[in-house]
């Protein structure tokens, strides 16, 4: 278990982490979401003793990370896949980690098998690795001590779709066996698929937390019928706001059972009726963090601006 209590980190007048508290439980994957500069990485660095907090505390199990004997056998950490010695081979890096932790050398080959790096790739210099290969090596390094807690910052960065699916399966199995996983990512869809609980942070504060079901409970319903025009009229008469969806149907601000009753009364055959997800997670994320976003939707008042950009 990871317990964060009233954690604050200041750099002069800038507050990077502002009175943050949460718990990551065994057997669950906790997704840590937030825009760039929201405080995710700083929080993770404090967790593993790389950055001292201004105030507050983090306990890994029942003690701070720095007080854990041989901590990598208890906590696997991946904060930056690129921060590996580029002149060493992947095999050399894992062998050094195994020696440092005092684990059997056989764990090295086991880890390469686990993360699907071939013997040829294991013997390449890390400078010749793709970012996806570095991520796999970093995950192997985090797991080699057989820890019961994982703290991973953007582990899917650089992985192709097959690699993301592999990582998702790996972490799901790890949690199912009782492990604790804290996973930071900007890939909202991946968090929606894998995470059991979600933390959303903005400007150093937790702005939302809970299970996916709790956070998406107000995200409405996805509904599609054989007569969307009739369905739109019926929803409007019932006072239910509905937004058309490009592939057909609507996202409606009502519970699925309420929409189902309306369709039944109007004898409108439905082909899809479910709680909204995916796009709704992105919408929820943007709404909760809108005050912390750097980006705004660009507008062009003069068409000549676009013409100049295209020429």
């Amino acid at each position: 278990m990871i317990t964060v209590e009233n954690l604050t980190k200041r750099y002069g007048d800038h507050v990077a982490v502002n009175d943050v508290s949460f718990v990551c439980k065994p057997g669950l994957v906790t997704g840590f979401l937030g825009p760039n500069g929201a405080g995710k990485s700083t929080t993770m660095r404090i967790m593993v003793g790389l950055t001292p907090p201004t105030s507050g505390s983090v306990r890994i199990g029942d003690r701070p990370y720095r007080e854990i004997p041989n901590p990598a056998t208890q906590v696997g950490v991946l904060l930056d896949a690129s921060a590996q010695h580029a002149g060493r081979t992947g095999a050399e890096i894992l062998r050094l980690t195994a020696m440092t932790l005092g684990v059997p050398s056989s764990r090295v080959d086991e880890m390469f098998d686990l993360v699907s790096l071939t013997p040829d790739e294991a013997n390449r210099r890390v400078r010749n690795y793709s970012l996806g290969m570095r991520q796999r090596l970093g995950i192997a390094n985090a797991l080699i001590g057989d820890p019961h807690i994982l703290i991973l910052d953007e582990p899917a960065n650089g992985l192709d779709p097959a690699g993301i699916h592999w990582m998702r399966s790996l972490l799901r199995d790890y949690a199912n066996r009782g492990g604790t996983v804290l996973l930071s990512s900007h890939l909202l869809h991946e968090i929606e698929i894998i995470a059991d609980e979600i933390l959303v942070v903005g400007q150093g504060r937790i702005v939302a937390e809970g299970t996916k079901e709790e956070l998406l409970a107000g995200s409405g319903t996805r509904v599609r019928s054989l007569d969307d025009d009739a369905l739109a009229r019926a929803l409007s008469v019932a006072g239910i706001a509905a937004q058309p969806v490009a592939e057909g149907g609507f996202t409606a601000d009502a519970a699925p059972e309420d929409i189902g009753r309306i369709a039944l009364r109007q004898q409108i055959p439905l082909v899809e009726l479910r709680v909204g997800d995916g796009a709704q997670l992105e919408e929820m994320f943007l709404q909760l963090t809108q005050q912390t976003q750097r980006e705004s939707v660009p507008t062009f008042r003069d068409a000549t601006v676009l013409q100049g950009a295209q020429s």
Side-chain angles (χ1 to χ4, degrees):
M1 180 181 291
I2 304 171
T3 306
V4 179
E5 294 183 333
N6 305 114
L7 194 66
T8 296
K9 179 61 182 178
R10 294 187 180 91
Y11 295 96
D13 294 333
H14 174 63
V15 182
V17 180
N18 192 350
D19 195 29
V20 165
S21 298
F22 60 87
V23 174
C24 300
K25 303 169 187 173
L28 301 179
V29 177
T30 300
F32 200 21
L33 291 174
N36 292 336
K40 303 187 303 298
S41 294
T42 301
T43 300
M44 288 179 153
R45 289 180 60 83
I46 293 172
M47 285 180 176
V48 298
L50 294 177
T51 297
T54 302
S55 61
S57 65
V58 179
R59 295 195 308 278
I60 308 294
D62 60 354
R63 65 186 72 186
Y65 182 88
R66 288 179 176 271
E67 295 180 10
I68 300 173
N70 203 359
T73 61
Q74 306 297 315
V75 188
V77 179
L78 174 59
L79 299 185
D80 184 357
S82 296
Q84 301 176 80
H85 196 302
R88 291 189 176 132
T89 66
E92 288 171 342
I93 287 174
L94 287 197
R95 281 198 293 267
L96 284 170
T97 299
M99 290 172 58
T100 302
L101 300 184
V103 301
S105 58
S106 59
R107 288 285 291 170
V108 173
D109 289 336
E110 290 174 13
M111 289 301 98
F112 281 124
D113 288 340
L114 180 67
V115 302
S116 300
L117 286 174
T118 67
D120 176 67
E121 291 167 337
N123 289 305
R124 291 185 202 171
R125 304 287 177 187
V126 171
R127 67 167 61 94
N128 298 319
Y129 276 19
S130 66
L131 179 55
M133 291 170 64
R134 292 185 189 212
Q135 291 285 18
R136 290 174 183 268
L137 179 63
I139 292 172
N141 214 20
L143 289 171
I144 195 169
D146 197 22
H148 57 271
I149 294 173
L150 285 179
I151 298 174
L152 309 174
D153 194 4
E154 300 283 1
N157 190 24
L159 293 177
D160 59 19
I164 292 173
H165 177 77
W166 159 81
M167 184 200 69
R168 185 195 308 153
S169 300
L170 176 73
L171 298 183
R172 182 73 272 156
D173 179 66
Y174 181 89
N176 288 344
R177 290 185 289 110
T180 301
V181 181
L182 177 62
L183 171 68
S184 162
S185 179
H186 66 278
L187 298 175
L188 303 186
H189 181 61
E190 288 309 313
I191 288 292
E192 196 275 334
I193 290 175
I194 191 175
D196 301 296
E197 298 191 341
I198 297 175
L199 304 167
V200 184
V201 63
Q203 290 185 333
R205 288 183 176 274
I206 299 293
V207 296
E209 61 179 310
T211 65
K212 285 181 295 187
E213 292 75 15
E214 291 168 343
L215 293 181
L216 294 174
S219 295
T221 295
R222 177 76 172 88
V223 58
R224 188 161 52 96
S225 75
L226 295 180
D227 190 346
D228 282 346
D229 290 338
L231 180 60
R233 289 192 296 270
L235 293 175
S236 178
V237 168
I240 295 174
Q243 299 295 323
V245 177
E247 59 268 26
F250 306 92
T251 297
D253 293 334
E257 54 268 29
D258 294 333
I259 293 176
R261 292 189 187 101
I262 292 169
L264 178 62
R265 284 198 300 266
Q266 299 299 320
Q267 295 296 294
I268 301 171
L270 298 181
V271 295
E272 184 177 11
L273 181 65
R274 59 181 172 84
V275 175
D277 58 12
Q280 280 66 47
L281 180 63
E282 181 177 14
E283 180 180 348
M284 179 206 74
F285 174 81
L286 292 173
Q287 288 175 349
L288 290 172
T289 62
Q290 60 184 334
Q291 300 302 318
T292 69
Q293 293 290 338
R294 295 174 184 269
E295 294 82 3
S296 59
V297 178
T299 58
F300 296 96
R301 297 173 183 265
D302 187 345
T304 58
V305 176
L306 287 175
Q307 293 171 357
Q310 292 170 352
S311 61

